[in-house]
Amino acid sequence: MKKQIPLKLFVLVLVLCTQSTFAQELYMPRNIKEAYARETRSMDGKPGKKYWQNHGTYTMDITVNATTKIVSGTETIVYKNNSNDTLRNMVIRFVNNLHKPSSPRGGGVSEDFLSNGLTITSLKINGEVYKEDARKWETVGNVKMKTPMLPKTKATLEIEWNYPLSKESGREGQIDETTFYIAYSYPRVSVFDDYNKWDRLPHTDRQEFYNDFNDYTYTVKAPKNYVVYGTGDLLNPDEVLQPEFAARLKKSYTTDEVIRIANEQELKEGRVTQQKEWNSWKFQASNITDVCFALSNHYLWDAGSVVVDTKTNRRTSTQAAYDIKGTDFLNSVKNNNYALAWFSNNWPGIPYPYSKMTAFQGFADMEYPMMVNDSQMGDAVFAQLVQDHEIAHTYFPFYMGINETRYAFMDEGWATTLEYLIGIAEHGKEAADKFYKEFRVDHYINDPSTEEDQPIISMSTQVSDAGYGNNSYGKASLSYLALKDMLGDDQFKKSLHFYMDTWNGKHPIPWDFFNCMNTSSGKKLNWFFNNWFFTNNHIDIAIEKVEDLNSKNTIWIKNVGGFAIPFDAVIVYNDDSKEILHQTPTLWETNQINAVITLKSNKKIKSVTLDNGIYMDATPLNNVWKK
């Protein structure tokens, strides 16, 4: 007769097994599983042997009428279908239709925010005329193809369009009567990918963006005395700037010196731009997810440059455009130079990939390829941090083509992490920790909403403002920093580089990140990813008891909240000597509920404190034990 295992022991073994490294498999939605089965993605973290993504070549002529506040354009898109699918629809995205009264939004808006949205005056696909009434579109429009687009073929779209700039500026619109930020300003082909097909998710005022990597050549026609700042290289400075100012701009490309390209008086006197009625500013950028531009007839213009790749001595142009009252922007070029060099050489430690970075004074505190649109805050330290955060987005989502709409934690979490790490370099760890806790963690830990503990993996479109903010910024950043603590800086950087090198210019999803980190570290980290990304955990550890067993001091710790966090065990002995034992998240690998720390010293203990640092505890009082 076989000996039966006692029920309690069986349950204990089952619980431990479900918490073990070997039993952890990460949840995948069915469509993601199918992508791996079709071999467009691989479980080693790399794109599969059948991976593909589509591509567009955009040529655009855009005019900004400073009097009527109308933006109009003609564009030609050569769109290549690299998939094995026949496309019977062409899905066109126009984010600025967010301003239409009928478009979905996350909250109320003022009358100044609303507009009539996009008007398409002409649309042709492969020469065939389409009568599309864009007034019926929200932020995504569907065009049924007269002739389906076969796999591995190209289609040419020709579009003429116009739309009004909203009076109330957010991520784009009118900054003042003669200053405009022009973003998401052109109809674009939405993403058709390997795991979700056409991206038809509408944009609200909360979610951000998901775009293909495209090539752009675009011309901005602006009135005289308006300077245009845009994504990409300015191809014709001599045609739009008077010689002295073109020379200043060119000099800035080669020096660390901050040069005032144009001051208030020079702009007022009409000495900066060519004095034609209209000037056409031509820009070019390749293999990039979007372009935008801004223009003003009175903004001060500073410029310099910085070496971002020490191996090749490649420089990046750093520019700033701001109002005379924009005191936060006086050091923008200097801050640009510091941030680009630091990010390039420290974290993430990959040379800034583009030829330009422009800081523009607006209202959005928002990132764009090669540009940031930041507010005047009246606080130079905070302004620098915001600029650092937006510049950090260069890597996530622009270097990596992340689907921010669905997985905001894949970019906001990393930008928050990089913001914290550069903050240590700029202001010291104590100040960086204080800011990080107050600005990124405190509102999450003390958030009374029912969504504060939704799994990070939750789609960003399916959580509320509080849930969205917690998952995208603070919680995600804490997970990355916990992984850094567990792997150590050297291995973490190698693994991060493996992920970034593997998916640069492509479209990674969360499982690609998880698999990349597993492969590159040589460790099975699914237990950690499951713990941080797929659970309703929160941060709360507690000391259960402190014992002297067989002349050895033992500290029993309970993980009430569940997250696998690092912490310091601070022990004070009766003789007032102190010992600090750092615990990495590895402590929780085999048992994510209970942990035991056994001390080498057998001296009598006076007190024990668990110091979580930036991992703020929901109930800090039980982190302290006193004899």
Side-chain angles (χ1 to χ4, degrees):
M1 181 177 178
K2 292 183 179 179
K3 188 176 180 180
Q4 290 187 332
I5 300 174
L7 180 60
K8 287 185 178 179
L9 179 59
F10 176 77
V11 172
L12 176 61
V13 170
L14 182 62
V15 169
L16 291 176
C17 283
T18 58
Q19 294 170 349
S20 73
T21 299
F22 305 103
Q24 292 293 328
E25 291 301 330
L26 301 178
Y27 161 78
M28 277 189 192
R30 284 172 290 169
N31 64 319
I32 304 298
K33 286 182 179 178
E34 289 169 4
Y36 283 95
R38 288 193 300 266
E39 298 183 292
T40 56
R41 294 169 193 266
S42 172
M43 293 302 292
D44 63 3
K46 299 177 183 178
K49 61 183 180 181
K50 296 181 181 179
Y51 179 80
W52 54 267
Q53 62 193 55
N54 290 349
H55 179 272
T57 300
Y58 286 68
T59 304
M60 301 185 290
D61 289 292
I62 302 171
T63 299
V64 180
N65 189 314
T67 302
T68 64
K69 312 297 191 289
I70 297 292
V71 181
S72 58
T74 61
E75 67 180 295
T76 300
I77 308 169
V78 178
Y79 182 72
K80 185 173 182 182
N81 176 20
N82 291 317
S83 78
N84 292 320
D85 293 69
T86 296
L87 305 183
R88 292 178 168 77
N89 297 282
M90 188 65 68
V91 177
I92 296 177
R93 183 171 295 276
F94 187 70
V95 174
N96 265 307
N97 266 358
L98 180 69
H99 295 279
K100 288 177 59 176
S102 59
S103 289
R105 283 177 292 274
V109 295
S110 73
E111 287 290 331
D112 286 344
F113 182 85
L114 299 175
S115 76
N116 295 327
L118 177 69
T119 297
I120 290 180
T121 55
S122 176
L123 171 62
K124 297 178 183 177
I125 302 178
N126 292 331
E128 296 183 285
V129 176
Y130 287 74
K131 299 293 186 183
E132 285 294 327
D133 187 355
R135 290 175 297 179
K136 297 178 181 178
W137 292 1
E138 292 177 347
T139 54
V140 182
N142 186 78
V143 178
K144 187 170 180 58
M145 301 276 281
K146 295 180 179 179
T147 304
M149 187 179 181
L150 298 176
K152 317 302 182 187
T153 63
K154 295 181 180 179
T156 300
L157 289 76
E158 300 168 88
I159 312 174
E160 296 181 10
W161 49 267
N162 65 76
Y163 76 96
L165 285 169
S166 62
K167 187 173 182 179
E168 179 184 298
S169 175
R171 288 172 173 166
E172 39 64 43
Q174 300 180 44
I175 307 298
D176 60 41
E177 279 295 317
T178 58
T179 304
F180 319 112
Y181 203 96
I182 318 294
Y184 328 116
S185 61
Y186 56 96
R188 65 182 304 140
V189 179
S190 195
V191 176
F192 184 84
D193 61 32
D194 67 303
Y195 64 93
N196 199 54
K197 303 305 180 183
W198 282 115
D199 178 26
R200 298 179 183 272
L201 283 176
H203 268 288
T204 69
D205 47 354
R206 184 177 71 211
Q207 277 80 39
E208 296 185 19
F209 308 98
Y210 180 37
N211 299 318
D212 276 322
F213 286 85
N214 300 314
D215 298 330
Y216 294 89
T217 301
Y218 68 103
T219 299
V220 179
K221 188 177 177 183
K224 68 179 177 182
N225 298 324
Y226 277 80
V227 176
V228 179
Y229 311 85
T231 301
D233 296 320
L234 177 60
L235 302 182
N236 62 337
D238 296 316
E239 295 177 14
V240 293
L241 295 170
Q242 296 191 36
E244 179 182 355
F245 299 90
R248 292 180 191 175
L249 180 61
K250 292 174 187 176
K251 181 183 176 182
S252 75
Y253 295 157
T254 62
T255 180
D256 294 335
E257 177 189 357
V258 179
I259 297 173
R260 174 60 54 84
I261 306 298
N263 62 34
E264 185 181 28
Q265 193 63 31
E266 291 165 337
L267 288 159
K268 280 182 178 179
E269 293 172 358
R271 294 164 49 196
V272 178
T273 72
Q274 295 286 351
Q275 292 300 290
K276 294 174 284 188
E277 185 177 356
W278 295 87
N279 288 307
S280 295
W281 302 66
K282 189 171 185 178
F283 298 88
Q284 190 171 60
S286 300
N287 195 38
I288 201 162
T289 58
D290 200 2
V291 294
C292 67
F293 61 93
L295 62 159
S296 177
N297 67 355
H298 64 90
Y299 266 26
L300 309 185
W301 185 9
D302 296 343
S305 64
V306 63
V307 173
V308 293
D309 189 338
T310 54
K311 292 182 179 178
T312 63
N313 285 323
R314 176 172 61 85
R315 281 185 172 270
T316 285
S317 170
T318 50
Q319 302 183 32
Y322 55 100
D323 187 75
I324 190 70
K325 298 177 182 177
T327 54
D328 287 349
F329 291 81
L330 292 173
N331 290 315
S332 270
V333 170
K334 179 182 174 182
N335 292 341
N336 261 339
N337 287 352
Y338 183 89
L340 295 187
W342 197 91
F343 289 142
S344 297
N345 295 298
N346 295 279
W347 293 102
I350 288 177
Y352 178 79
Y354 304 127
S355 59
K356 184 195 292 183
M357 171 51 70
T358 301
F360 192 89
Q361 181 183 342
F363 298 112
D365 303 324
M366 182 68 190
E367 74 280 358
Y368 310 81
M370 302 194 209
M371 294 187 75
V372 298
N373 173 0
D374 285 344
S375 310
Q376 163 67 16
M377 299 180 181
D379 181 336
V381 172
F382 189 69
Q384 182 182 19
L385 180 135
V386 171
Q387 187 168 310
D388 289 344
H389 178 95
E390 308 311 343
I391 291 173
H393 274 299
T394 292
Y395 298 100
F396 310 92
F398 303 138
Y399 188 79
M400 320 283 284
I402 287 162
N403 187 339
E404 298 178 273
T405 312
R406 291 175 182 266
Y407 307 119
F409 63 88
M410 293 185 72
D411 77 299
E412 293 295 357
W414 281 110
T416 300
T417 299
L418 295 173
E419 157 209 307
Y420 169 66
L421 294 174
I422 195 174
I424 295 173
E426 290 168 342
H427 306 294
K429 190 172 187 307
E430 183 178 352
D433 282 3
K434 182 176 184 293
F435 180 86
Y436 186 88
K437 287 192 286 187
E438 290 178 354
F439 192 60
R440 297 301 189 189
V441 188
D442 182 71
H443 61 85
Y444 151 54
I445 293 299
N446 294 304
D447 182 353
S449 78
T450 56
E451 286 193 309
E452 69 168 330
D453 295 327
Q454 288 298 302
I456 295 175
I457 200 69
S458 303
M459 275 182 54
S460 301
T461 54
Q462 296 175 332
V463 284
S464 73
D465 287 343
Y468 177 88
N470 290 336
N471 278 354
S472 304
Y473 293 82
K475 282 168 66 176
S477 175
L478 288 168
S479 78
Y480 301 138
L481 290 168
L483 185 59
K484 176 176 178 287
D485 185 278
M486 184 170 72
L487 295 179
D489 283 2
D490 289 345
Q491 182 58 61
F492 182 74
K493 183 171 283 188
K494 288 177 185 176
S495 296
L496 178 59
H497 284 190
F498 178 77
Y499 167 55
M500 295 180 71
D501 292 344
T502 299
W503 288 95
N504 166 227
K506 300 179 178 67
H507 293 310
I509 56 178
W511 294 267
D512 300 316
F513 167 66
F514 303 145
N515 291 331
C516 273
M517 300 306 278
N518 283 336
T519 297
S520 56
S521 69
K523 298 177 183 294
K524 185 69 170 176
L525 300 171
N526 282 1
W527 74 270
F528 177 88
F529 297 129
N530 187 72
N531 175 282
W532 269 98
F533 290 86
F534 294 86
T535 69
N536 299 96
N537 289 341
H538 63 282
I539 301 173
D540 187 3
I541 59 176
I543 299 175
E544 285 203 300
K545 59 184 176 179
V546 177
E547 290 185 325
D548 182 355
L549 296 176
N550 300 321
S551 300
K552 286 187 177 181
N553 290 311
T554 306
I555 306 168
W556 298 76
I557 302 168
K558 187 175 185 65
N559 195 341
V560 180
F563 271 145
I565 67 166
F567 63 91
D568 288 339
V570 182
I571 300 100
V572 178
Y573 296 99
N574 280 352
D575 62 4
D576 289 329
S577 61
K578 181 187 289 188
E579 184 177 10
I580 299 176
L581 298 177
H582 182 69
Q583 307 298 311
T584 78
T586 304
L587 180 72
W588 308 107
E589 181 174 357
T590 57
N591 188 328
Q592 293 171 29
I593 299 172
N594 298 296
V596 178
I597 301 174
T598 301
L599 308 183
K600 294 179 179 179
S601 173
N602 59 5
K603 293 191 296 184
K604 297 299 181 182
I605 295 177
K606 180 188 291 185
S607 68
V608 178
T609 302
L610 306 183
D611 183 356
N612 302 6
I614 57 175
Y615 297 82
M616 296 177 66
D617 203 289
T619 58
L621 290 179
N622 59 20
N623 286 30
V624 179
W625 174 91
K626 292 182 179 180
K627 189 173 181 179

